[in-house]
Amino acid sequence: MANKTQVINPFSVLAYLSEDYFCDRKNEAKELLEARKNGRNVTLLSPRRMGKTGLIKHVFAQLSPKEVLCLYVDLDQTTCLADLVKAFGEVVMKKIGTPSERVWKEILAWFKSFRPVMTADPATGAPQIGLDVQPTAAEASLGELFGWLENSKLPYYVAFDEFQVITDYPEPKMEALLRSHIQHLTNVNFIFAGSQKHLMTEMFMAANRPFFQSTQMFPLYEIPEDAYFDFAQRHFEQHKQTMPRDTFHELYTTVYGHTWYIQCLLNRLYQYGIRQIDNQVLTSAINNILTEYKESFRTYCKLLTSNQLSLIKAIAHEGKVKEIGSQEFLQKYQPGPASTVRSALRVLIDKELVAEDEDGYSVYDRFFGLWLRN
């Protein structure tokens, strides 16, 4: 079995590996480090799978744990305040590790709203801290967590990923509650990362919202093609493979420079081990992936109304649509009356099946878009 230091495939589609296997983002990483250093919180905006989580982990890897303590909290599966507190608390306790007797006494004295308990990891038997969060005490527990970080000897850098999910929590005034704690912290800086641009923008830029203009807005864009080509070429050459620039250009543009889809294709091409990667090899890799996903894509289609399906097919065939309501688009594909199309578009965006950016509309899942087009 490979140990942790061995990397079989340098094009990871799962976790951040290390700086050697992370493509570019030098300017973005520098900006996030400078923001923390200068006391600015950041709102990081990007579509899903563009690489925001990898960037956060990359930034955290640049910081010495002797100087800054970094916490990554994924809120994607949380549905209420108690879930948030549990996810946040578990990350905090994991960072504490196995406490000494003195630190354990401090933990018990500090956290009065929920009782940390020492348990054993079921897989390894190593001691770990478990949490029992009661919904009725969740608000007080949240305050205790922030207080613990604020009173730490070392500063904290905390990333809340998919932060926009708090807008769906059943508790009223969630944004105001979090803002009331965060605005007073001097020992903690935050990255609020989110993939639903319209929700995140409203949360941080609308004058009637608690987080109004409290952060540096930081949109994350595609990695430049030249930088990505150099990264891919370096790892392919180490594997005694070559990919001409025109083939990489075809790969990059086919998925619109979307990071995860580039990584997925590069991962397969590396796995194949074919010495000379040309457009034919690339097409084969794409077709293999689309075949693997076809049953899932068929399920997507079954969950859509006929109007929604007609519209997303039209968008897929165009690739990018600047104006959905334009007469040219409506006449070419006839997805339905303009009012029906607008309604269908809103549903597709809410379901994260269609992405909206300054260049127009496209199918969010790049492979789904290719499958629809074919």
Side-chain angles (χ1 to χ4, degrees), residues 189-228:
N189 284 104
F190 294 88
I191 299 172
F192 303 103
S195 59
Q196 292 184 280
K197 182 180 178 181
H198 62 291
L199 292 178
M200 293 290 288
T201 301
E202 288 174 11
M203 196 185 306
F204 289 93
M205 294 304 292
N208 62 341
R209 304 287 280 266
F211 280 99
F212 173 58
Q213 292 188 345
S214 62
T215 65
Q216 174 183 343
M217 301 300 286
F218 195 94
L220 190 65
Y221 298 107
E222 296 84 358
I223 296 171
E225 182 177 340
D226 287 346
Y228 225 133

Side-chain angles (χ1 to χ4, degrees), residues 7-18 20-23 227-243 248 251 259-273 277:
V7 175
I8 295 173
N9 193 312
F11 303 108
S12 175
V13 294
L14 296 175
Y16 174 79
L17 298 175
S18 72
D20 288 340
Y21 306 102
F22 186 77
C23 180
Y228 225 133
F229 173 72
D230 292 343
F231 171 77
Q233 186 181 49
R234 172 164 58 90
H235 288 295
F236 278 131
E237 286 180 348
Q238 291 173 359
H239 201 226
K240 295 182 171 55
Q241 293 178 276
T242 60
M243 173 186 277
F248 183 82
L251 184 157
T259 307
W260 184 85
Y261 300 93
I262 295 174
Q263 288 288 109
C264 188
L265 288 169
L266 293 175
N267 182 284
R268 295 300 181 95
L269 295 170
Y270 186 93
Q271 172 198 325
Y272 295 162
I277 302 169

